[in-house]
Every structure is written in C-alpha cells, then in structure tokens.
Amino acid sequence: MSLVTADNLEKTYQIGEITVKAIQGVNFSIEQASFVSFVGPSGSGKSTLLNMIGCLDPPTGGSLHVAGQNIARLNRKQAARFRGEHIGFVFQDFNLIPVLTVFENVEYPLLMVQNWPEQKRKKQVNDLLEAVGMGDQAIKYPGQISGGQKQRTAVARALVTNAKLVLADEPTANLDGETASRIINLMKKMRDELDTTFIFSTHDPRVMRNAEIIFTLEDGRLLQNNNGGAHV
Ligand SMILES: Nc1ncnc2c1ncn2[C@@H]1O[C@H](COP(=O)(O)OP(=O)(O)O)[C@@H](O)[C@H]1O
Ligand SMILES: [Mg+2]
C-alpha cells in the first residue's frame, strides 16, 4: 500500500483579491521506504506540497492521504497529533526553539509524543547528534551555532522519533559537501534499517543524485515522465 497518495490535489492561497494557485491538480503515489525528491524552480510549489504532506497546511482541493488518513479531514489538534506520531519535518528555516539547547531541541519531540525512559531518550538524542556531527555542540543554543549547524540539528530532531515519514525542505541547502553526504548517508541507512520514507524538496544535485524517484514541479503542476528512477 502506498504511504502518501495525492489525488487531484490543489492548494490555493487567497491574499485579498489575489488568488495564488500554488498546487494545481497534482497526482502521485509514494510507497513506504522510498527516497523521493521534489525538484523545481523557486516558487514552483515544493514547500507548499511538503507542508500539506506534513499536515501543516490543509489542501484546498482534491485529496491527500498519508498513512491511510485523509489529512484534509483532520482539525488542527488532530493534525498536530498525527504529525507528532508519524512525521519528522526538517524546515527550510530550521524552526529551532531559541531558548532550548541543541540537545534539548533534539530531545523535544521525544518528550512530546513518546514515553521513552530517560536513559534511552538521552542515548537516542546523543546518537543522533553524533550521527550529524553535532555531538560536541550539544550544550550550545541555536543563537550560538552556524546556519549549517542549525540545519544538522534540525535533521537530528526530525529523525529522533524514528518517524516512518520524514519530510525535508531543502535539507542540504546550507551544508558543505562532506556534511551533506554524511546526512544523506544517515538517511539512507535509516531507510534501509527502519523502512523510513524520505521526501525532500531540493535544488541540490547531491540530493537529486541520491533520490530514487524524482518528481518535477513547475508552476504548481507535476511534469510528466517523472519517476525516472534517477540512478545516475
Ligand atoms: N503562505 C502563502 N501565502 C500566499 N502565497 C504563498 C504562500 N506560500 C507560498 N505561496 C505562493 O505559492 C507559490 C509556491 O510557493 P512555494 O511552495 O514556497 O514554492 P517553492 O518552495 O518551490 O519555492 C508561490 O507563488 C508562492 O508565492
Ligand atoms: Mg520552498
């Protein structure tokens, strides 16, 4: 069964008199344990699409099923709970909590949604911080680290609950080559070991090269001949 299915999906933003059709009649289906990338120029609708899959912003037309749930039917509270249980999200602007340390930011989703014993929780946070190369920055605050380090922290936070679906909006945009490939490798390992599904948006050729399925967006529409299986 597919994990994410969009059926004639639409998203329209209304700003006063102006209607912006950000996503227009999009259809796709994504199986569990896929490594998928949405690519397309700035303004093509990548963030809008990921935000809908991540239950952050409801569709305005068509349907979108995630893990069997029609997410348009969820109210705000249900959407937040569904997100906490099923989805890890790496935001384009990181969204770290400024008053929490790096460690506490990564720990936060575990405190919110899962009842892990303290020792197991601390180990999981430390393991993830090590994996993204942030082990020695754990006690710093977001205001004390670089953009790339914030991004790595955001990646660790998205992966910490072992969510079955991880969405990442331009996850490597601020990273040097070595860190980017370390993070991509970590994600692939999670996919192989835990069947995690990864859906990215990206411009980054390093991410595109690693994607197994590429969907191309243009003006809110999916171009044909997607699904090329980009094993280049
Ligand atoms: N909150 C919003 N309000 C109004 N228009 C928006 C909003 N978010 C995105 N848009 C518009 O929707 C279109 C797609 O934007 P976006 O999804 O951010 O594209 P991308 O991530 O590919 O750069 C753009 O025209 C953008 O201006
Ligand atoms: Mg975007």
Side-chain angles (χ1 to χ4, degrees), residues 169-198:
D169 203 357
E170 314 254 4
T172 58
N174 297 294
L175 302 180
D176 62 83
E178 196 188 318
T179 308
S181 62
R182 186 171 353 158
I183 283 174
I184 294 165
N185 288 338
L186 170 66
M187 290 173 168
K188 281 226 152 138
K189 186 163 165 258
M190 289 190 69
R191 192 282 298 274
D192 293 342
E193 289 175 4
L194 303 172
D195 271 357
T196 312
T197 306
F198 286 92

Side-chain angles (χ1 to χ4, degrees), residues 13 15 20-22 40-49 92 169-170:
Y13 293 107
I15 318 158
V20 180
K21 291 183 172 178
S42 180
S44 58
K46 303 183 297 297
S47 296
T48 300
L49 193 54
Q92 201 163 357
D169 203 357
E170 314 254 4

Side-chain angles (χ1 to χ4, degrees), residues 52-59 64-87:
M52 285 195 284
I53 300 171
C55 306
L56 294 163
D57 206 7
L64 180 60
H65 285 79
V66 179
Q69 173 72 50
N70 182 351
I71 58 132
R73 295 239 178 90
L74 300 174
N75 64 33
R76 277 179 83 91
K77 203 171 159 188
Q78 291 167 327
R81 169 177 294 202
F82 184 83
R83 192 165 62 242
E85 284 172 358
H86 296 281
I87 298 170

Side-chain angles (χ1 to χ4, degrees), residues 5-7 12 23 29 32 41 56 68 98 100 118 120 122 133 141 143 151 155 158 170 174 195 210 215 218:
T5 308
D7 204 354
T12 304
I23 293 292
S29 174
Q32 195 174 321
L56 294 163
L100 299 183
E118 184 176 351
K120 185 179 172 201
K122 303 276 182 213
Y141 288 88
Q151 195 155 22
V155 170
E170 314 254 4
N174 297 294
D195 271 357
N210 280 282
F215 291 113
E218 202 173 276

